[in-house]
Amino acid sequence: MNAESNPILDFATEYVFPAFSELTGTDKIVAFGDQSHKCPVYVPQTPPCTAECPAGEDIRGINRFLNGTDPSDDALKSAWETAVETNPFPAIMGRICPHPCQSKCNRGVHDESVAINAVEQVIGNYAIQNNLKLKGPGADTGKKVAIIGGGPAGLSAAYQLRRKGHAVTIYDANEKLGGMVLYGIMGYRVDRKVLEAEIGRIIDLGVETKMGVTIGKDVTLEQLEAEYDAVFIGVGAQKGRGLPVAGFDGTPGATNAIDFLKSYEVLGDDVPVGKHVVVIGDGNVAMDVARLALRLGSQASIISGVPREEMACFENEYDDAAKEGTTMYFQTGTAEVLGGASGVTGLRCTKMTKKAKGEEGWNSPIPFLRYKSNGETFDVEADMVVAAIGQGTDLDCLGSASSGPWLKVDRNFRIPGREKLFGGGDALKVDLITTAVGHGRKAAASIDAFLKGEAMPEYPYREITKPHKQDMLYFVHTPQAKRSNIEPEVVVGNHDELLVALSPEDALTESKRCMSCGFCFDCKQCVSFCPQEAITRYRDNPAGEKVYTNYSKCVGCHLCSLVCPCGYIQMGMGDGL
């Protein structure tokens, strides 16, 4: 019996390859046999990590020093100097920043994002350990700037303005600089010596400070406007929100998270605290309050109005609070603070159920508003209740410069109608600390332009490197370096830092995973793959200019662009022909 003929199989088995012949010149074999009128151009782009960083750090530049792409006698020092161009707090940010940059890292498309935040912590630590100093102030301009608020926005503005040569005086109502980084973030997250070191460097530039001064009471905004050439307002959002239920207002032992955390920073372990502390809220601040209460020897419970999966806190913050002994109540609302003039005796709670489709708030962007009480109540033992349900500003001190609960500024961070007044940070909107740092830097640039009589700075469109434009196959799959957290055997009284930094060696290794998105790192791929031998490498040229294309030889095959791992090469020359 003869099998039926299969034409595809017959063609494959009977195919005869043509004889090989080597061609030269523009007739050489090119990728897929293509030729085109387009030739390569070299286009520096903004890496997505920097585009996503609110402080605007040159993350690619930092890693290029660390991995040896850009030579340096002291890579860690050069990386730190690159970081502090825009952010003077790499050691602080390396501990607490939720690193939105990493979520946009193109390496994450290939395997895992670069551990940018962990590397930042290492270079910040290195600078402190080696007593590195910021570059000195610029030449004196004779101009004076007042800064209201010594938090991250105000300190960032002060730093950048001193670099420009302007005299700077910081006014702050507190006794210590740092704002909510000091008064809202506990020592087990950021050691106070780290704060003092990075803030101290800025003060060492010649920044004058006037502490314990309340604007509107000790000095008015109008007086500052008259005395100084410009004023930056970075008062932050240091006013905690109370719980809008019966029994909260006026009951001893009922307070808000901001006041509780700030009281601890001022009074230390002598701060008044109950034996049974109940925290209302589901964000990171609620976790901080509970963990502080545990360290003060109290029992701690958290009342969350939403299920675990809808809580606003970061996963690691929740896990740490739970491991340390915090009791969690999910889908639980608060109905009343029990007690009286003698203090809190308990908290009356209610079980929450999800609203049905069509009910008011059922699809609200705020998870808590998607739930309602089912009418059932129960009591939780408590002698202290802390509301961690948000924070706001206190702008009464600004008089006519404020027009509501939040400070209003234009795109140059200037208050409309008040030529000398600028603002930034949480006074505009409660956001990340790194966002406040970025506001301070940009506002300082606007103030500098104003003082010089120049046009306000412009921030033109930046092309962001897209992962599909990069040859990811160039990079070997490697896991991201991970930091570890210490799990204290004894929580009470333990305020030691818990995040364990990478070693400098691990940070240098991790930096090699950076793909230098949007800028040549001299991989020599294009030189190796060009079939026309049209690309020449010049080793000693500046960064980004290591290769040169001889367009008289180029046939537009696109191969150099296809094999470029950083997306620096684009087939742009010839567009429109």
Side-chain angles (χ1 to χ4, degrees):
M1 178 178 176
N2 293 327
E4 292 186 13
S5 175
N6 183 327
I8 297 176
L9 179 61
D10 291 345
F11 175 81
T13 56
E14 297 172 6
Y15 181 77
V16 177
F17 285 91
F20 172 78
S21 63
E22 184 174 357
L23 303 179
T24 59
T26 56
D27 293 322
K28 281 186 178 181
I29 299 172
V30 296
F32 315 124
D34 289 341
Q35 296 187 26
S36 77
H37 65 279
K38 291 188 177 182
C39 290
V41 290
Y42 304 99
V43 184
Q45 300 142 62
T46 299
C49 52
T50 292
E52 197 67 18
C53 174
E57 282 192 39
D58 181 8
I59 297 166
R60 179 180 63 200
I62 291 169
N63 282 303
R64 285 172 67 94
F65 277 119
L66 295 176
N67 61 33
T69 299
D70 292 337
S72 171
D73 294 332
D74 188 338
L76 286 165
K77 179 182 179 182
S78 296
W80 175 78
E81 289 173 341
T82 302
V84 298
E85 282 292 312
T86 53
N87 173 20
F89 308 114
I92 296 172
M93 294 298 116
R95 287 162 165 79
I96 60 174
C97 183
H99 44 76
C101 53
Q102 285 184 210
S103 66
K104 295 297 183 180
C105 174
N106 283 357
R107 180 86 195 207
V109 176
H110 185 57
D111 43 33
E112 293 181 276
S113 65
V114 176
I116 298 167
N117 191 236
V119 171
E120 184 177 32
Q121 181 185 8
V122 171
I123 64 174
N125 288 351
Y126 179 83
I128 293 173
Q129 292 159 4
N130 290 273
N131 198 30
L132 299 185
K133 301 295 184 182
L134 298 168
K135 292 180 181 178
D140 184 18
T141 63
K143 301 293 186 179
K144 300 189 304 178
V145 181
I147 292 181
I148 303 174
L155 288 167
S156 175
Y159 164 57
Q160 300 293 349
L161 288 166
R162 283 301 294 141
R163 296 179 71 194
K164 300 292 186 181
H166 308 304
V168 175
T169 302
I170 296 177
Y171 291 81
D172 196 290
N174 298 306
E175 294 304 316
K176 294 181 179 180
L177 292 170
M180 290 310 296
V181 180
L182 173 65
Y183 293 106
I185 295 176
M186 296 297 98
Y188 59 82
R189 295 181 65 193
V190 181
D191 189 287
R192 293 308 181 243
K193 292 180 181 178
V194 172
L195 273 175
E196 291 167 4
E198 295 205 310
I199 292 174
R201 287 197 199 105
I202 297 174
I203 303 306
D204 289 344
L205 295 178
V207 175
E208 183 182 0
T209 60
K210 295 190 177 183
M211 307 305 296
V213 177
T214 301
I215 305 301
K217 177 183 176 183
D218 300 310
V219 63
T220 67
L221 180 61
E222 287 71 23
Q223 286 176 310
L224 296 182
E225 276 188 283
E227 183 179 351
Y228 291 88
D229 298 294
V231 179
F232 174 80
I233 301 171
V235 295
Q238 300 191 36
K239 185 178 180 181
R241 290 178 179 167
L243 201 61
V245 299
F248 183 85
D249 290 337
T251 301
T255 186
N256 64 74
I258 302 302
D259 288 347
F260 178 67
L261 295 174
K262 186 174 181 179
S263 294
Y264 172 75
E265 188 58 41
V266 174
L267 300 174
D269 290 345
D270 294 329
V271 64
V273 65
K275 294 182 179 178
H276 299 276
V277 178
V278 176
V279 187
I280 295 90
D282 57 62
N284 292 331
V285 175
M287 304 301 130
D288 276 341
V289 171
R291 295 176 71 187
L292 175 57
L294 292 171
R295 282 162 172 74
L296 295 173
S298 306
Q299 295 180 20
S301 302
I302 285 181
I303 307 295
S304 169
V306 298
R308 165 68 191 98
E309 59 272 16
E310 293 188 55
M311 290 176 72
C313 61
F314 299 142
E315 184 176 355
N316 65 305
E317 295 285 344
Y318 172 87
D319 291 343
D320 289 342
K323 288 175 184 176
E324 291 178 358
T326 304
T327 301
M328 303 287 183
Y329 293 86
F330 304 112
Q331 277 186 248
T332 301
T334 53
E336 181 182 359
V337 175
L338 305 176
S342 60
V344 174
T345 59
L347 183 69
R348 182 152 295 160
C349 299
T350 178
K351 295 303 293 182
M352 305 286 281
T353 184
K354 199 160 191 177
K355 293 177 180 177
K357 185 175 181 179
E359 287 190 80
E360 183 180 358
W362 72 275
N363 62 346
S364 170
I366 302 173
F368 177 76
L369 298 181
R370 302 173 200 151
Y371 293 83
K372 64 180 181 179
S373 170
N374 66 2
E376 299 178 17
T377 61
F378 64 95
D379 294 345
V380 174
E381 183 180 4
D383 56 3
M384 186 173 195
V385 171
V386 183
I389 56 173
Q391 60 202 87
T393 59
D394 182 3
L395 302 182
D396 293 342
C397 63
L398 302 181
S400 61
S402 64
S403 56
W406 305 101
L407 196 64
K408 305 294 183 183
V409 298
D410 61 20
R411 63 176 184 160
N412 298 308
F413 294 90
R414 175 184 259 161
I415 296 175
R418 304 290 285 269
E419 185 182 51
K420 286 187 175 183
L421 297 187
F422 298 77
D426 281 355
L428 308 186
K429 173 189 174 185
V430 177
D431 210 321
L432 304 178
I433 292 172
T434 186
T435 302
V437 173
H439 285 182
R441 176 176 61 83
K442 291 179 178 178
S446 295
I447 293 171
D448 179 59
F450 164 65
L451 296 179
K452 292 177 178 177
E454 298 174 352
M456 287 288 122
E458 294 290 338
Y459 300 96
Y461 168 79
R462 302 178 298 173
E463 182 176 352
I464 312 300
T465 309
K466 302 295 190 296
H468 69 271
K469 297 288 188 180
Q470 299 174 259
D471 181 13
M472 298 282 185
L473 295 178
Y474 175 84
F475 301 100
V476 177
H477 283 260
T478 52
Q480 181 194 78
K482 300 289 196 300
R483 289 176 287 187
S484 60
N485 273 281
I486 298 171
E487 295 184 14
E489 295 182 7
V490 178
V491 175
V492 178
N494 188 340
H495 298 280
D496 295 339
E497 270 196 355
L498 301 179
L499 183 63
V500 180
L502 298 179
S503 68
E505 294 74 24
D506 287 342
L508 294 174
T509 299
E510 179 65 13
S511 70
K512 294 177 181 176
R513 300 182 64 247
C514 174
M515 302 191 300
S516 192
C517 299
F519 199 63
C520 175
F521 61 93
D522 196 21
C523 68
K524 300 177 277 293
Q525 284 277 95
C526 54
V527 178
S528 301
F529 279 86
C530 178
Q532 302 301 126
E533 299 177 2
I535 301 176
T536 305
R537 172 176 174 259
Y538 295 93
R539 181 178 58 190
D540 297 328
N541 273 15
E545 301 177 19
K546 299 289 187 182
V547 293
Y548 164 78
T549 298
N550 184 338
Y551 293 113
S552 65
K553 293 183 178 181
C554 177
V555 296
C557 69
H558 292 222
L559 190 53
C560 57
S561 176
L562 293 172
V563 300
C564 179
C566 63
Y568 185 55
I569 302 176
Q570 298 182 11
M571 303 306 292
M573 183 174 289
D575 273 341
L577 296 180

